[in-house]
Amino acid sequence: MKNMTQIAGGKDDAQLVHHLTLSGSQYEIGQALTEEARRLGWSPTQMNPVMNRARRTWFERHWPQHHARMDGAAAVLGLDPNQDEVALDAMSYIPQGSGCSAMWIPPSASADGRGRVGRNYDFFFPATTSDLMGGTPRPGELPIGSRPYVITTVPDEGLATTVITMNELDGCMDGINSAGLSVMLLMADFETATPPDGPVTPQVGLSSVHLPRFLVETCENVDQAKQALLGAKHYDFGAPLHYLVADAHGQAFVWERGRDGTEHIIEFGDGPLCVTNHLLHRHPDPMNLPADTEHSFRTFERLRTLHENTKGATMSEQDMRDSLRGVGAPEDPAMPFRTLWSTIFDPAARTLSTRFYLGDGRRYSEELVFSAR
């Protein structure tokens, strides 16, 4: 079953947001996602056959839900699912990369004893894809980030999920599942991020935006997520990301890869955990951070602010929203960023509550609550 509704904004607003609800087998969900991706202009990526065969084998072994959806994509495209010439996933319709701020408030620091996660999703705006590539925008080309989706999947077997995605229908930036596991991505090393060299093609394993979707479809708690991350193969295209993961049992951590390829799990015990856009394992002490530079997008300032707001405090949902609003992207015409959405995750309730950016003047949608049950 497929149902799509417009939930925020309109054609004259900064964002027009749709909620896509899909149920059935993963094969049928894959068919529906492919139909929507084709409507948005997506087409399969040509692949090296040896690479593509290895990709399909990896998904079959480690992420069978995704593999089944690729079979559904093949049916819609009229292709043999076992062909090796094109990738049947990576349904991207805009580029990747973001700023962002996030905070985990454990049960011990929460006003009602329930752990929650809050996040701002900051991204280039109102730039178009052509702008970022150094070209001239095409007639009618929309700004990047202007058409996000909330996607709820309720498969016949396995975990139900609700995700928010800006650029890839089979990936996500935020996600929560029916067990309460919550995952979000953030840029991990803003100062050293570089554009990819040459055309971007899928690799073997999990892309940056596939990784959170993989976790919410295969894991129920933080312990499982740690093992899944350490056992998985993943890659980025010059934009290293890190991930804040929390569960319904009051546990949370940040996963990130260092510049030397080492993997790090960062935990702050029973205290709040704040994260912005620098590698936490390189700067673990929020009271001893470097000065920001013109290329750091205020990552150290934003983390210091969140840390000061949470230090020794008991925080309500409104306190979290106020803190996130205080570190949101400024509405400065000279700054090419906006906070495209701001979300509070409630793992115990299996919900995420989001406001979407509609335009300058602090115009946001009403608070929209989505369930992963």
Side-chain angles (χ1 to χ4, degrees), residues 107 110-116 314-317 346:
S110 171
D112 61 2
R114 290 165 63 154
R116 289 183 177 85
T314 299
M315 301 198 75
S316 66
E317 284 188 70
D346 187 336

Side-chain angles (χ1 to χ4, degrees), residues 1-18:
M1 184 183 74
K2 173 182 176 181
N3 180 58
M4 187 164 71
T5 57
Q6 180 179 324
I7 56 172
K11 64 181 181 64
D12 296 325
D13 292 313
Q15 290 187 297
L16 173 61
V17 190
H18 288 92

Side-chain angles (χ1 to χ4, degrees), residues 14-15 98-100 120-127 143-145 166 297 327-342 357-364:
Q15 290 187 297
S98 60
C100 310
N120 289 338
Y121 183 74
D122 301 333
F123 193 77
F124 296 102
F125 205 90
I144 299 170
M166 184 192 69
F297 189 49
V327 296
E331 293 184 346
D332 181 348
M335 291 288 289
F337 277 84
R338 295 294 183 270
T339 298
L340 297 189
W341 62 78
S342 187
Y357 170 71
L358 301 182
D360 283 357
R362 298 291 181 183
R363 290 202 305 118
Y364 280 83

Side-chain angles (χ1 to χ4, degrees), residues 29 61 68 70 130 134-135 160 165 177 239 252 271 284 293 308 335 360 371:
I29 289 170
R61 291 174 179 170
M70 291 169 67
S130 298
T165 185
N177 67 22
T293 71
E308 288 295 331
M335 291 288 289
D360 283 357
S371 174

